[in-house]
Amino acid sequence: MKSAAVQIIYPESRNALRVGDLARSVLTNLQQAVVVLDNDNTILLSNPNFDAMFGTAADLAALHECRDRCAEACAAAGGAALQVFGREVVVRQVALPEGLLVTVDDVTDQLAEKARVVEEARTDTLTLLGNRLMLRERLAEMLARRGDGEVLAVLAIDLDRFKAVNDSLGHHVGDALLRVVAQRIRSALGRNDIAARFGGDEFCVVQAGQAQPHAAAQLAKRLVDLIGRSYLLDGHLINIGASVGIALSPADGDDDNIILKNADLALYRAKQEGRGRYSFFESAMDDEMQARRNLEIDLRRALALREFSLVYQPQYNFESQEITGFEALLRWNSASRGMVSPAEFIPLAEETGLIVQIGEWVLRTACREAASWDKPLGIAVNVSAIQVGTNKLVSTVLSALAESGLAPTRLELEITESVLIGDHRSALEVLQSIRAVGVQVSMDDFGTGYSSLSNLRSFPFDKIKIDQSFVRASLDDPGSMAIVRAIAALGHSLGMTTTAEGVETEEQLARILADGCTDVQGYLISRPLPPENIAGFLQTHSDKAGLR
């Protein structure tokens, strides 16, 4: 069934005059500016919005110009955005039998609002710098229009020690710090430079119109200096640092993705070399990063392929003249790489977070294997700051003990002082929960890194382990010898065991015994043993009185 055409039927009493009045009323109330022109461009009809926009007939030249300029656009897209008397308008035209209907929409405010929204989408709301989207767009534009011989520098910036501030003082202080850092970055920029916050504590700067690489090096030095100056925020004196990676275009890439990636590689090198410095990209960095990615892939597979194993280094006590326990040491025998040094893969595991999974495997395996020993000796397991920070360590320890049947008093967790840097209170709560079930906690590598007596006061450690670098120092190094004596005396006064690591010679053994250490481990006692050799070792070395 065909639908009937819609018809408007006027009462006979409505004559043409009344219809004309109705049409004028409609025109008057339209939001658009509307005009009807004859073929000679004479105005036949217009509404008040049109009169307000274009004024007298003398100003119709502007409208005629608009009509000419937008004719093709109107035909193709139905309208064109043009400027008339400083306002943005969209002009549309419809042909009539004897003239033209022209409508004009003022879109100035809409376009301004759209521009504001677009600008907000490209602005970091915290620092009011640009964001990643803005920088990538601007960088792509700058690369596309770069003149012959012109060099652009991209500087990737990462804050050092920011996470510790954020964790210990709270996000409100961290946010305030980021705002001040952004101000300092902005103050160092040249007229043609742009800066953005990429998120977190990562920033990026594009430097243009300067002689390179000198200008980039000078800017990087300036940024490291400015960001590294002290901050006073919310009553806290805060000290952080900055590392900067620099890539130059076109030498290091003429695509925004490539140049940003290479700046990140240079940043990674700067942080590896000690932080608080800058580094230029070198092509070898790409090869190094690829090698690192491949190592990470193999490391992720190692757990599934069961390529990890544990060996155990004995610990000897001078007073009892007996082996009192073992330290579990991780080994990786890769199917493709062979034996991989822990010094090579442990830092990568910590950086990628894989140390959490690996550390859990070590803990469970060490507890299970120690539970099978004939003698109830202690087992020491190293725990990283990342493991403590996950808040899963307590449940993992309890689970490992329950599954293995190992007595909690036989387990010892070794931590470094880096565990107590950052969220100090949370770390102490974790350690106290672990110690409450009978597990011992020792401080490893004391005397290096962040060593502080306040850390010994904040937690009742059971043992202090003296780093092997002090133990192996020669007799010509009185400083190291004094440190060993001081740590041993400190441990004695606090009721803590002091273990000297890395003892390899009789001379070193005699020295650390004279200095007051209570325990020792190292190659002189034994090299690390696979689990199947422990029973034989204990039977053969049940009495080590000869060491005294």
Side-chain angles (χ1 to χ4, degrees):
M1 179 178 177
K2 293 184 180 180
S3 58
V6 177
Q7 295 181 344
I8 300 178
I9 302 175
Y10 293 101
E12 292 182 2
S13 59
R14 288 193 174 177
N15 54 29
L17 180 60
R18 295 188 64 186
V19 171
D21 290 340
L22 178 62
R24 288 189 181 88
S25 177
V26 171
L27 272 176
T28 299
N29 288 282
L30 284 175
Q31 296 298 313
Q32 295 172 306
V34 179
V35 64
V36 177
L37 307 172
D38 65 13
N39 291 328
D40 296 324
N41 285 331
T42 300
I43 295 177
L44 300 178
L45 188 65
S46 66
N47 70 351
N49 283 336
F50 178 86
D51 297 335
M53 184 177 296
F54 288 94
T56 64
D59 295 320
L60 287 180
L63 176 61
H64 298 160
E65 181 183 350
C66 284
R67 287 177 54 201
D68 295 339
R69 286 161 52 199
C70 76
E72 291 185 8
C74 287
L82 304 167
Q83 273 201 350
V84 177
F85 302 137
R87 304 288 290 178
E88 295 286 342
V89 299
V90 174
V91 180
R92 294 181 178 86
Q93 54 190 29
V94 178
L96 300 176
E98 295 184 359
L100 195 65
L101 170 66
V102 179
T103 63
V104 184
D105 288 286
D106 188 337
V107 295
T108 306
D109 294 339
Q110 294 96 310
L111 292 178
E113 176 63 16
K114 182 179 180 180
R116 185 189 65 78
V117 172
V118 169
E119 181 67 19
E120 283 187 356
R122 287 157 176 75
T123 301
D124 176 60
T125 56
L126 177 64
T127 64
L128 300 184
L129 294 177
N131 59 15
R132 184 186 294 268
L133 175 62
M134 182 281 293
L135 187 128
R136 292 185 72 95
E137 289 179 347
R138 292 285 303 278
L139 177 58
E141 293 171 2
M142 295 167 77
L143 290 170
R145 67 169 187 263
R146 185 186 62 238
D148 293 339
E150 183 183 359
V151 177
L152 294 179
V154 175
L155 291 80
I157 307 162
D158 187 76
L159 304 186
D160 303 328
R161 302 184 298 278
F162 174 77
K163 185 178 185 301
V165 173
N166 217 27
D167 291 344
S168 59
L169 300 181
H171 290 287
H172 68 289
V173 175
D175 288 348
L177 178 58
L178 290 173
R179 283 191 286 268
V180 179
V181 168
Q183 293 171 7
R184 293 186 182 185
I185 291 175
R186 193 181 287 111
S187 71
L189 300 184
R191 183 180 60 183
N192 299 319
D193 302 340
I194 58 174
R197 177 182 173 228
F198 270 19
D201 60 347
E202 299 177 9
F203 297 83
C204 189
V205 169
V206 179
Q207 186 183 51
Q210 300 289 332
Q212 301 297 354
H214 176 74
Q218 291 301 111
L219 177 57
K221 289 179 184 177
R222 177 69 171 150
L223 290 171
V224 168
D225 173 60
L226 279 175
I227 297 172
R229 296 179 184 180
S230 297
Y231 303 77
L232 184 60
L233 297 170
D234 199 22
H236 301 282
L237 185 63
I238 298 171
N239 289 288
I240 60 170
S243 299
V244 181
I246 308 169
L248 304 175
S249 179
D252 300 332
D254 55 6
D255 173 86
D256 58 302
N257 291 310
I258 294 174
I259 198 70
L260 286 170
K261 182 201 76 170
N262 290 341
D264 276 338
L265 290 176
L267 172 61
Y268 181 75
R269 169 66 63 83
K271 297 176 72 171
Q272 275 189 321
E273 292 179 348
R275 303 174 183 271
R277 61 185 64 204
Y278 68 91
S279 177
F280 279 92
F281 171 77
E282 299 172 1
S283 57
M285 293 177 183
D286 209 6
D287 298 333
E288 292 174 6
M289 185 55 65
Q290 187 60 49
R292 179 183 173 279
R293 289 194 190 99
N294 292 335
L295 180 62
E296 181 182 343
I297 292 171
D298 289 346
L299 188 58
R300 291 183 182 278
R301 292 174 178 164
L303 272 173
L305 298 177
R306 299 183 179 180
E307 294 180 343
F308 290 124
S309 63
L310 295 181
V311 292
Y312 298 89
Q313 186 162 44
Q315 298 173 328
Y316 176 80
N317 177 260
F318 286 119
E319 183 177 357
S320 66
Q321 302 181 43
E322 293 180 347
I323 300 296
T324 56
F326 294 83
E327 179 182 357
L329 302 173
L330 181 62
R331 296 292 183 262
W332 178 20
N333 187 3
S334 169
S336 58
R337 298 171 180 269
M339 293 301 299
V340 185
S341 168
E344 183 178 354
F345 72 84
I346 291 296
L348 179 60
E350 291 184 333
E351 185 179 334
T352 58
L354 288 171
I355 195 65
V356 175
Q357 293 174 270
I358 295 172
E360 181 175 345
W361 179 88
V362 170
L363 183 61
R364 294 184 184 278
T365 303
C367 288
R368 185 178 66 252
E369 293 183 344
S372 68
W373 297 342
D374 293 335
K375 294 185 178 182
L377 302 177
I379 177 66
V381 178
N382 290 279
V383 175
S384 76
I386 297 173
Q387 288 174 268
V388 176
T390 61
N391 293 325
K392 294 174 58 179
L393 184 60
V394 176
S395 60
T396 300
V397 168
L398 294 176
S399 174
L401 291 172
E403 290 175 0
S404 64
L406 186 76
T409 53
R410 292 179 59 191
L411 178 62
E412 173 189 326
L413 299 186
E414 295 186 3
I415 68 166
T416 62
E417 287 184 284
S418 61
V419 169
L420 302 177
I421 303 300
D423 195 350
H424 184 89
R425 180 173 299 178
S426 177
L428 287 180
E429 289 176 356
V430 171
L431 297 179
Q432 286 163 352
S433 297
I434 290 172
R435 201 166 187 271
V437 301
V439 175
Q440 298 187 59
V441 180
S442 65
M443 181 176 288
D444 197 14
D445 297 336
F446 189 76
T448 63
Y450 300 100
S451 295
S452 169
L453 296 181
S454 64
N455 289 327
L456 293 181
R457 291 178 55 197
S458 65
F459 184 80
F461 290 94
D462 298 284
K463 179 187 293 185
I464 306 173
K465 300 193 73 175
I466 304 172
D467 186 68
Q468 60 186 3
S469 62
F470 301 113
V471 174
R472 294 176 181 173
S474 69
L475 293 174
D476 298 328
D477 184 2
S480 293
M481 297 170 62
I483 289 174
V484 173
R485 286 194 297 271
I487 296 174
L490 180 64
H492 177 74
S493 65
L494 295 175
M496 300 177 185
T497 300
T498 50
T499 300
E501 297 183 289
V503 175
E504 296 181 342
T505 67
E506 294 286 352
E507 178 190 36
Q508 292 169 355
L509 182 70
R511 191 193 317 158
I512 61 112
L513 177 58
D515 288 339
C517 294
T518 62
D519 291 74
V520 61
Q521 75 179 72
Y523 283 2
L524 183 63
I525 308 301
S526 172
R527 289 180 175 273
L529 302 167
E532 61 269 18
N533 292 355
I534 289 179
F537 170 82
L538 291 175
Q539 184 175 1
T540 305
H541 299 79
S542 59
D543 186 356
K544 285 292 182 179
L547 287 173
R548 285 184 88 169

